[in-house]
């Protein structure tokens, strides 16, 4: 079972090679004043030699880089490159790259709500995990010796082969459970991304949530399906859109629209919206081929982390705006429902506070909006109590009426007892 996933698609073996390349170019410039980086053919040879040196340093403590006739000087005299590099020097050149490998390790543990003590086995994936410094860093971070029984160049291919066998029913005794790499959800009032399935949820899975309309007499709802980690819909990836129409006209908040997400073992996402009042429904299917690449997933997770504070403020502002709109709606509805039961001065006071809050919502002063919100809540408190009491009385009267109807249905009859 995959509990969480994380990675850095911008970090790999080529980055380690490049550090040796840069070092070789700089050392050669010091010796000869010739800049090899301007010679494309020479640089190709240097890159090949750098990769070879990196591989050799995983098994020995020192290696030589020898490239005869690498280039020519200004007098057209052939120049040869002969350098020695130690494992200690290589480790020094790549120290920050090795440290960077710990970031996704820690993120994966955090997402899984686990610590290094919960890890039973550590498998190394990819040729660069043969670098002794990488293995030592992993051992130090997780407190366990990495498992070296599987070839790191083949481990991903082996896993893919097993998963292919499971999905095609050729492998019967293994069950692999994957996870969703990013959260899935829909856009709601104010452009907010409301998550239904969180990132790193084990698939197959399904989740439902009931929503309602945002305006009176709304005949249809648009379902905007998204994938990502940012709190605002505009910053996430659109997976699809569809509309549920022919909703019976009703005040906002009355229609009950159930949105359901379903992800199968192949990663195919099915999203449906159903009007619980009429039973009408619409749906959309998003195939796994339409999903994001690993590079895009890593980029979106990184962007969510980088903009976390900024996004939090934006979402808080939208949430406050939505809360105020609901308070205004409830206050106006209470005044309308109570009619003459609300005295004129009380009505005028609440209406004035509603106007003040609406004016505040047109600006960006959060403190002012909060202040006007509290003033409206305080002013409309008495009206809200009256509206609640009236609704309770109406409900009680209806229940009594229903009991009376049931009693009227009882038919008296004479009977004779036979002994």
């Amino acid at each position: 079972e995959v509990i969480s996933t994380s990675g850095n698609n911008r970090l790999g073996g080529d980055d380690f090679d490049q550090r040796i390349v840069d070092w070789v170019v700089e050392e050669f410039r010091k010796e000869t004043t010739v800049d090899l980086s301007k010679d494309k053919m020479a640089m190709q040879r240097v890159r090949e030699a750098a990769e070879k040196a990196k591989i050799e340093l995983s098994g020995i403590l020192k290696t030589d880089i020898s490239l005869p006739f690498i280039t020519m000087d200004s007098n057209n005299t052939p120049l040869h490159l002969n350098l020695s590099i130690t494992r200690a020097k290589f480790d020094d050149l790549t120290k920050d790259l090795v440290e960077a490998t710990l970031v996704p390790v820690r993120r994966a543990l955090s997402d899984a709500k686990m610590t290094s003590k919960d890890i039973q086995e550590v498998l190394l994936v990819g040729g660069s995990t043969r670098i002794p410094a990488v293995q030592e860093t992993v051992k130090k971070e997780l407190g366990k010796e990495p498992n070296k029984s599987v070839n790191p160049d083949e481990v991903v291919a082996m896993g893919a082969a097993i998963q292919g066998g499971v999905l095609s029913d050729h492998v019967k005794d293994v069950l692999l459970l994957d996870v969703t790499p990013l959260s899935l959800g829909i856009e709601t009032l104010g452009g907010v991304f409301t998550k239904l399935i969180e990132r790193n949820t084990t698939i197959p899975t399904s989740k439902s949530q009931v929503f309602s309309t945002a305006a009176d007499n709304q005949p249809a709802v648009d379902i905007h399906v998204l994938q990502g980690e940012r709190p605002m819909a505009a910053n996430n990836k659109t997976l699809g859109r569809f509309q549920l129409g022919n909703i019976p006209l009703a005040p906002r908040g009355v229609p009950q629209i159930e949105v359901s997400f379903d992800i199968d073992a192949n990663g195919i996402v099915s999203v449906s919206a159903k009007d619980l009042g009429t039973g009408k429904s619409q749906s959309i299917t998003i195939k796994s081929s339409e999903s994001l690449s690993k590079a895009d997933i890593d980029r979106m997770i990184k962007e969510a982390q980088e903009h976390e504070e900024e996004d939090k403020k934006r979402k808080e502002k939208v949430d406050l705006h939505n809360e105020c709109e609901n308070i205004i709606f409830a206050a106006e509805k209470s005044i309308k429902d109570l009619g003459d039961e609300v005295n004129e001065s009380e009505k005028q006071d609440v209406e004035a506070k509603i106007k003040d809050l609406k004016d505040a919502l047109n600006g960006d002063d959060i403190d002012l909006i909060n202040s006007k919100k509290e003033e409206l809540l305080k002013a409309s408190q008495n009206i809200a109590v009256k509206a609640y009491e009236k609704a309770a009385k109406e409900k009680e009267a209806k229940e009594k009426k229903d009991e009376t109807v049931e009693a009227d249905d009882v038919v008296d009859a004479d009977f004779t007892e036979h002994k």
Side-chain angles (χ1 to χ4, degrees):
E1 178 182 356
V2 179
I3 300 174
S4 72
T5 60
S6 185
N8 183 352
N9 68 296
R10 294 184 177 88
L11 178 62
D14 290 344
D15 297 290
F16 288 83
D17 296 346
Q18 190 61 43
R19 293 300 170 86
I20 299 179
V21 169
D22 294 342
W23 176 78
V24 168
V25 170
E26 185 58 31
E27 290 298 308
F28 192 75
R29 184 189 288 117
K30 289 177 184 177
E31 289 183 9
T32 65
T33 71
V34 175
D35 186 358
L36 287 177
S37 64
K38 295 178 181 178
D39 186 334
K40 289 184 178 179
M41 290 184 66
M43 286 302 293
Q44 180 59 38
R45 291 179 66 191
V46 171
R47 287 193 188 92
E48 290 171 356
E51 183 181 13
K52 181 173 178 287
K54 176 191 70 175
I55 293 170
E56 288 176 350
L57 288 172
S58 292
I60 57 178
L61 296 177
K62 182 180 178 181
T63 188
D64 295 323
I65 299 174
S66 180
L67 296 172
F69 303 100
I70 186 66
T71 189
M72 289 188 291
D73 62 14
S74 58
N75 298 318
N76 289 329
T77 303
L79 297 176
H80 312 292
L81 188 154
N82 288 290
L83 293 170
S84 294
I85 183 170
T86 63
R87 183 187 291 175
K89 182 61 181 178
F90 174 65
D91 290 346
D92 183 56
L93 292 172
T94 58
K95 184 178 179 182
D96 61 315
L97 298 178
V98 174
E99 287 294 322
T101 63
L102 295 179
V103 176
V105 172
R106 289 165 181 165
R107 188 188 303 139
L109 283 172
S110 176
D111 289 345
K113 295 179 175 57
M114 299 173 77
T115 67
S116 58
K117 294 178 181 178
D118 300 312
I119 303 298
Q120 285 126 16
E121 200 80 58
V122 179
L123 287 177
L124 299 175
V125 179
S128 291
T129 60
R130 289 192 177 92
I131 297 172
V134 172
Q135 296 181 3
E136 190 59 35
T137 301
V138 170
K139 179 182 175 182
K140 184 178 177 182
E141 179 72 14
L142 298 176
K144 283 184 178 60
E145 189 75 41
N147 185 327
K148 300 173 186 175
S149 62
V150 184
N151 186 335
D153 292 317
E154 300 172 354
V155 64
V156 172
M158 289 172 65
I162 293 169
Q163 176 72 330
V166 170
L167 295 176
S168 62
D169 290 331
H170 285 87
V171 176
K172 304 289 185 181
D173 57 344
V174 176
L175 176 62
L176 296 178
L177 299 176
D178 204 352
V179 297
T180 55
L182 291 170
S183 299
L184 296 165
I186 64 170
E187 180 179 355
T188 53
L189 185 63
V192 172
F193 174 47
T194 300
K195 298 176 183 178
L196 270 79
I197 296 178
E198 293 284 344
R199 178 164 69 101
N200 285 327
T201 297
T202 302
I203 59 173
T205 187
S206 60
K207 182 75 181 291
S208 298
Q209 190 170 328
V210 176
F211 298 88
S212 191
T213 49
D216 292 336
N217 301 319
Q218 189 173 325
V221 290
D222 292 313
I223 308 297
H224 182 192
V225 184
L226 297 145
Q227 181 182 39
E229 296 306 314
R230 305 281 293 275
M232 305 307 295
N235 301 126
N236 294 300
K237 177 178 171 59
T238 297
L239 293 181
R241 296 174 185 265
F242 66 99
Q243 187 179 82
L244 178 62
N246 298 319
I247 298 173
L249 301 183
R252 61 179 281 183
V254 173
Q256 300 287 287
I257 311 298
E258 183 182 56
V259 177
S260 301
F261 274 69
D262 185 85
I263 310 177
D264 67 14
N266 295 313
I268 297 174
V269 182
S270 298
V271 185
S272 65
K274 181 179 181 181
D275 182 351
L276 297 180
T278 64
K280 293 177 181 176
S281 65
Q282 284 290 342
S283 63
I284 188 173
T285 299
I286 298 126
K287 296 180 180 178
S288 55
S289 60
E290 300 168 19
S291 60
L292 293 165
S293 66
K294 189 177 185 304
D296 289 329
I297 291 168
D298 291 341
R299 174 182 56 79
M300 292 177 75
I301 293 172
K302 186 177 179 182
E303 285 177 358
Q305 292 168 340
E306 290 174 349
H307 298 279
E308 185 176 3
E309 202 59 38
E310 170 195 339
D311 288 345
K312 184 181 177 184
K313 290 178 181 177
R314 286 183 63 191
K315 187 173 185 299
E316 284 175 352
K317 183 180 177 182
V318 172
D319 287 344
L320 177 61
H321 195 285
N322 289 344
E323 182 188 1
C324 290
E325 290 286 357
N326 288 332
I327 291 169
I328 290 170
F329 173 75
E332 290 177 336
K333 186 175 185 298
S334 295
I335 291 173
K336 182 180 178 182
D337 291 346
L338 289 170
D340 296 336
E341 294 179 39
V342 182
N343 63 62
E344 194 60 30
S345 63
E346 199 172 35
K347 180 181 176 183
Q348 288 178 359
D349 182 38
V350 172
E351 288 177 340
K353 296 292 191 295
I354 289 173
K355 184 180 183 303
D356 289 344
L357 181 53
K358 285 182 176 179
D359 291 341
L361 288 172
N362 290 326
D364 295 320
D365 191 334
I366 299 299
D367 291 336
L368 179 63
I369 294 172
N370 273 313
S371 173
K372 296 302 178 184
K373 180 192 78 172
E374 293 302 323
E375 287 179 13
L376 176 56
L377 283 171
K378 189 175 180 181
S380 62
Q381 193 171 21
N382 191 39
I383 292 178
V385 171
K386 286 181 180 179
Y388 178 79
E389 290 175 347
K390 183 179 180 182
K393 287 178 181 177
E394 289 176 351
K395 183 181 178 183
E396 186 180 349
K398 185 177 181 301
E399 288 174 352
K400 285 183 178 180
K401 184 179 178 182
D402 291 341
E403 289 175 4
T404 303
V405 170
E406 287 179 10
D408 289 344
D409 287 341
V410 176
V411 179
D412 291 331
D414 294 327
F415 69 93
T416 303
E417 183 179 359
H418 295 281
K419 294 183 180 178

